[in-house]
Amino acid sequence: MKKTRFLAAATVGMMVVSLLGGCGSTPADSVGAGGSRDSGKESKVLRVGMECAYAPFNWTQEADTTPDGSTAVPIFGSDYYAYGYDVAVAQMLAEEMGMELEIHKVEWSSIGISMDAGDYDCIIAGMGRTAEREMSYGFTEPYYYRDNCIVVKKGGAYENVTRLSELAGTGCRVTTQLGTGWVPLLDQVEGAVTGANYETTSECFMAISNGTADVCIVDLPTAQSAALTNDDLVIITLDADDTFTGDDEMVNVCIAVRKDDTEFCSRIQEAMDAIGWNDKAKMDELMSRMITQQPAAN
C-alpha cells in the first residue's frame, strides 16, 4: 500500500504543510477545534473543508439524493450538495459526536490556509499524513489507505508498461495534480519531460485524453473513478519491485486539524474508534460503493 496527496504549499507560496505525530498534547492556551477562538465555547457543528471535486473521495452534485438512497450534504453557501467517501465518513463521525455536519467547498491549493483562517475546523479530503505536514497540522489515525498508479492513453505508446524503468529514456510527458505528493514522483521517471501540472485531477486526465501529456501519476481510486467516463484511459499499477520510491509515508489518508486543536483531534479519533473505523475491509467496501454512487457512474 502506498500513497496520497501533498498539501498545496508550492502553489500558494506560503503554505507550510506538516503535522504532529498523532493528536499530541494540548497547549494551555489552545481552543478546541469545532469551537470559536473568541468565545472558546464548543460548537455543535462539525465544519469540514474539502474540494468537492475529487471523486470518489468527494464531489459536487445538484440534488441531495444518491442512487443507493443515501443523503448528500448541502455545501455551505451554495445550492449544491457534496457526497463521496469523505462525506460519508464525516456523516458517521458527526452522528457519533452528536454534531451537525457542515461541508465547506475549497480549492486544494488553499485548503490548509482556509482552515488556519477559521473557515472550518478540520480537513477530510483525501489528505496524506506526511512528516512535513506533521510540523504544522494535527492528524488522526488513517481513515483510508490507498495505492498509487499511472494513467496513460488507450492505444498509446505506454499502454503496456508494467515497470517504472520501461518509461526511462522515452521522453514521455508526465503530469499530476499541483501541490500533491505525486509531484516529487515525476522526477523518478528518468528522462521524462515535466511540463504543466494541473489544479485538479480532472484536468490531468483531460491532458492524457487530448495528448497534452502521456503519463499521469495519481492514486488508484481516483483513476478508477475517471475511467468510468473516460474510455480512452488505461490504469496501470506498476510492479512492486520496479515502482516509485520514497512515498511510503503517503499511504496514510488522515483527518487534519489545526495544530493547537489537539483536544478536538482526540474527539475525532475517539469517534473513529467508536465506530470501528480502523478496519481496512470497511474502508475498501465503502470506497467501492462510492465509486458506483458518483453522478458520472449513473
Side-chain angles (χ1 to χ4, degrees), residues 1 85 143-146 277 279-291:
M1 292 183 300
Y85 184 93
Y143 71 94
Y144 188 66
Y145 301 90
R146 64 182 166 199
W277 211 253
D279 185 333
K280 187 177 183 299
K282 288 183 179 180
M283 299 174 187
D284 290 342
E285 188 280 329
L286 179 61
M287 182 59 78
S288 295
R289 181 162 63 87
M290 288 300 108
I291 291 176

Side-chain angles (χ1 to χ4, degrees), residues 194-262:
T194 53
N197 294 325
Y198 299 92
E199 179 69 28
T200 67
T201 53
S202 296
E203 292 171 289
C204 295
F205 298 131
M206 185 179 299
I208 297 296
S209 294
N210 63 28
T212 303
D214 300 310
V215 177
C216 173
I217 304 174
V218 72
D219 67 273
L220 185 58
T222 303
Q224 293 171 328
S225 172
L228 289 173
T229 54
N230 293 271
D231 294 336
D232 56 349
L233 299 180
V234 174
I235 301 170
I236 298 173
T237 302
L238 298 173
D239 288 351
D241 63 345
D242 190 357
T243 188
F244 300 103
T245 60
D247 58 348
D248 289 346
E249 68 176 357
M250 297 196 309
V251 66
N252 300 321
V253 182
C254 303
I255 299 171
V257 303
R258 290 181 287 267
K259 187 173 182 178
D260 62 350
D261 286 336
T262 53

Side-chain angles (χ1 to χ4, degrees), residues 3 22 41 49 73 77 92 147 153 158 164 168 240 245 254 256 280-281:
K3 329 2 178 176
K41 294 180 180 178
V73 178
M92 291 187 287
D147 293 319
K153 189 169 184 177
Y158 307 99
L164 181 63
T245 60
C254 303
K280 187 177 183 299

